[in-house]
Amino acid sequence: MDCQTADLWLHLALMSSDTNSSLSANDPTLPVPRQVDYEWMSLDTWNRMHREHVETARRGEAELLVIGDSITEGWRNTAAWGKYFGAYKAANFGIGGDETQNLLWRLENGAVGNLKPKVVVLLIGTNNIGRGNNSVCDVLRGIGAVLARLRGAFPSAKILLLGIFPADQSPQSEMRRRIVAVNASLPNFDDGATVFVRDIGHIFLEPDDSISPAIMPDFLHLAEEGYRRWAELMAPMVSQLMEGQPPSAPVAVV
């Protein structure tokens, strides 16, 4: 693989994040807004959610920012969100269906605002694989571009980069294979000071590495039990980062 080091990825990300007409519209490092109406989310809804995030960013109150796609967005409907993260005036900037390029566009168009979070939690990339059909290296380039943007926007923040959560019921699926490949290379982004990478996907898997519908009803999005497991594992990590300490290694949660 020609994208083995974080230095190379970050170099590519910083270069590629500068809008360039030679880049493909599907390039994961090219900031673009959502351009497709889906049955489950219209463009009007996407734009309304972005405007709401921009207003939250303008107020600048959040100590904790979680940002990503529908898996992050789903925190809104859970009891775990307020219980574990409400004390941080947490802001949830997840929007369903987003790929890295959509997230980059949001960050460059108002989603930074006056925010000065102490901790940022990033989970992104599953839609680049499942919908965008990007290669493993391209997904990594996209994640690198988002990291570079976050580091520039929030220089004093600690960033917790989570491995892409497992998807598809079968461990042998192509989707799962690509997720594993991306996650295997993510630790190269961990600098031990600003960016910390933790792959917690094992907490959603059965002993045979399959996924139970009780955790992910559609083998992608989390049920309440999935969010509970995520919250109980991530809450200590967030607390440690708030105190300027590296987050603990992920362990099993039951």
Side-chain angles (χ1 to χ4, degrees):
M1 189 179 297
D2 62 355
C3 50
Q4 278 298 306
T5 68
D7 287 342
L8 174 59
W9 288 330
L10 289 174
H11 175 68
L12 288 172
L14 287 166
M15 290 180 62
S16 300
S17 62
D18 183 19
T19 303
N20 188 316
S21 59
S22 67
L23 293 175
S24 163
N26 193 43
D27 190 292
T29 68
L30 177 63
V32 293
R34 177 74 61 79
Q35 298 171 327
V36 180
D37 266 311
Y38 295 114
E39 291 182 2
W40 43 269
M41 182 183 289
S42 67
L43 284 174
D44 285 344
T45 299
W46 188 89
N47 282 293
R48 174 184 56 76
M49 293 179 70
H50 174 60
R51 289 193 300 271
E52 291 172 354
H53 296 168
V54 170
E55 174 58 24
T56 297
R58 185 194 64 77
R59 294 195 300 270
E61 299 170 349
E63 293 182 293
L64 171 65
L65 171 65
V66 295
I67 191 163
D69 51 38
S70 58
I71 299 170
T72 294
E73 180 192 343
W75 278 115
R76 298 171 182 267
N77 303 316
T78 70
W81 177 251
K83 176 181 178 181
Y84 289 94
F85 307 115
Y88 304 117
K89 300 180 181 178
N92 183 334
F93 283 8
I95 300 184
D98 268 11
E99 301 175 39
T100 55
Q101 54 266 47
N102 308 131
L103 181 48
L104 284 167
W105 187 91
R106 291 197 275 129
L107 287 168
E108 295 190 2
N109 289 271
V112 172
N114 296 313
L115 286 172
K116 295 181 180 178
K118 292 182 179 179
V119 177
V120 178
V121 178
L122 172 63
L123 175 62
I124 195 68
T126 195
N127 291 312
N128 288 86
I129 298 172
R131 180 169 294 110
N133 198 30
N134 291 132
S135 69
V136 169
C137 281
D138 277 348
V139 176
L140 289 165
R141 288 175 60 242
I143 294 172
V146 175
L147 280 174
R149 185 69 182 91
L150 289 171
R151 291 177 72 181
F154 310 120
S156 63
K158 305 297 184 184
I159 301 173
L160 177 61
L161 171 62
L162 297 178
I164 300 173
F165 291 173
D168 285 353
Q169 187 174 23
S170 170
Q172 285 77 45
S173 75
E174 175 65 14
M175 178 79 172
R176 188 81 73 88
R177 185 191 68 78
R178 291 195 195 184
I179 290 172
V180 169
V182 170
N183 288 348
S185 292
L186 287 181
N188 289 283
F189 286 119
D190 191 321
D191 62 10
T194 300
V195 178
F196 301 88
V197 176
R198 297 293 184 268
D199 183 3
I200 66 170
H202 63 278
I203 66 172
F204 307 118
L205 297 175
E206 300 300 299
D208 63 357
D209 287 338
S210 65
I211 296 173
S212 167
I215 305 301
M216 295 182 182
D218 60 356
F219 308 112
L220 176 64
H221 298 96
L222 296 173
E224 183 78 25
E225 172 60 16
Y227 282 104
R228 182 193 69 80
R229 294 185 183 188
W230 184 6
E232 291 190 0
L233 186 63
M234 192 173 76
M237 296 183 186
V238 170
S239 178
Q240 290 161 349
L241 287 170
M242 287 285 176
E243 299 299 323
Q245 304 170 12
S248 56
V251 296
V253 175
V254 295

